[in-house]
Amino acid sequence: MEKIFNEEIISQIKELLQPMTKEVNFVLFTKEGAPTVDETIQLMSEYSQISDLINVEIVDIDQNQDLAMEYNVSLTPTIVALDSDKKDHGVRFAGVPLGHEINSLLSLTLEMGQKASSLPMDIQEKIKAIDKPTNIKVFITLGCPHCPGAVHKAHQMAMLNENIQAEMVEAQTFNALSTKYGVSGVPHIVINDSHSFVGNQPIEVFVDEASNA
């Protein structure tokens, strides 16, 4: 099977992730025969070889149902990101983060690997003030150049507030879910199954929508 990352890309990723000081742990939930599972396994296996600070555990969802329930995972493939203490911050990738979405994976790894948010302090405080369970789904396609920015904003919010779970959802892999939420253009953001908006909007819009959902 042809490798996803060639030597030039590996070198670029290593340089990008150089500021990391903490381990980032990924749990990849798979299911035999599910769409894009093989590609996701290959991606995360190769990704874990790029840095000693990246760890990947691959589990079958049918054989690890208790773990799937613990992490609130029902879709496969789903990648759960955990910090160096293996704490779950509610960050998910449902579907393979390839194409433009490799940028979402890299941004998440870099930020979690530094344990420091790049958001302004006033925005951080507003995010931390959200005091109710909040689920953010960001529907994307792999060819969408604007989607990684929206995914990363949602992930940043989840990393700052344990009430928030944020997941990238690959719209074509999970077509039934896309239909359910009326996804036509991407990025399409759905908050608590009730509020939605389209586009890589400023972080203030994400925070306001989540606060009012």
Side-chain angles (χ1 to χ4, degrees):
M1 186 179 293
E2 185 178 350
K3 285 187 173 294
I4 292 171
F5 301 124
N6 61 33
E7 291 303 320
E8 182 181 357
I9 293 173
I10 289 172
S11 178
Q12 291 171 354
I13 292 174
K14 283 182 176 179
E15 185 175 353
L16 179 70
L17 298 181
Q18 210 164 21
M20 286 178 66
T21 58
K22 303 287 185 181
E23 288 186 337
V24 179
N25 300 284
F26 294 98
V27 182
L28 167 57
F29 286 88
T30 67
K31 184 182 180 73
E32 188 174 354
T36 73
V37 159
D38 290 344
E39 296 95 318
T40 311
I41 290 173
Q42 182 185 355
L43 167 66
M44 296 309 293
S45 297
E46 289 187 27
Y47 194 48
S48 68
Q49 299 300 311
I50 292 176
S51 170
D52 291 338
L53 295 175
I54 298 173
N55 303 309
V56 176
E57 180 184 4
I58 300 172
V59 299
D60 184 289
I61 195 168
D62 291 331
Q63 296 175 16
N64 294 272
Q65 292 184 1
D66 289 346
L67 190 63
M69 288 179 64
E70 178 184 342
Y71 291 137
N72 192 27
V73 170
S74 59
L75 303 175
T76 53
T78 287
I79 301 165
V80 176
L82 311 173
D83 67 15
S84 57
D85 298 320
K86 296 194 174 180
K87 180 179 179 180
D88 179 15
H89 292 270
V91 174
R92 308 283 186 269
F93 296 88
V96 59
L98 276 173
H100 288 287
E101 282 307 313
I102 192 68
N103 294 305
S104 299
L105 181 62
L106 291 169
S107 297
L108 178 277
T109 306
L110 184 59
E111 192 140 335
M112 191 172 279
Q114 296 180 93
K115 283 199 169 179
S117 177
S118 59
L119 292 171
M121 284 304 301
D122 61 325
I123 296 295
Q124 290 189 41
E125 292 306 317
K126 288 180 180 178
I127 293 169
K128 291 175 181 177
I130 296 172
D131 59 1
K132 58 184 181 295
T134 302
N135 176 270
I136 306 174
K137 294 180 177 68
V138 183
F139 287 86
I140 61 92
T141 58
L142 302 185
C144 165
H146 306 293
C147 291
V151 170
H152 189 52
K153 290 183 180 88
H155 283 167
Q156 285 179 303
M157 291 176 66
M159 283 189 280
L160 285 168
N161 188 328
E162 61 184 17
N163 290 316
I164 301 173
Q165 179 171 310
E167 51 191 327
M168 178 208 87
V169 182
E170 206 289 296
Q172 294 173 328
T173 300
F174 302 106
N175 186 55
L177 208 56
S178 300
T179 301
K180 175 183 176 181
Y181 290 107
V183 176
S184 53
V186 290
H188 183 108
I189 297 89
V190 179
I191 301 178
N192 287 348
D193 294 343
S194 58
H195 285 56
S196 66
F197 59 96
V198 177
N200 181 21
Q201 303 292 339
I203 185 65
E204 290 83 359
V205 174
F206 280 74
V207 176
D208 288 346
E209 290 287 343
S211 299
N212 295 323

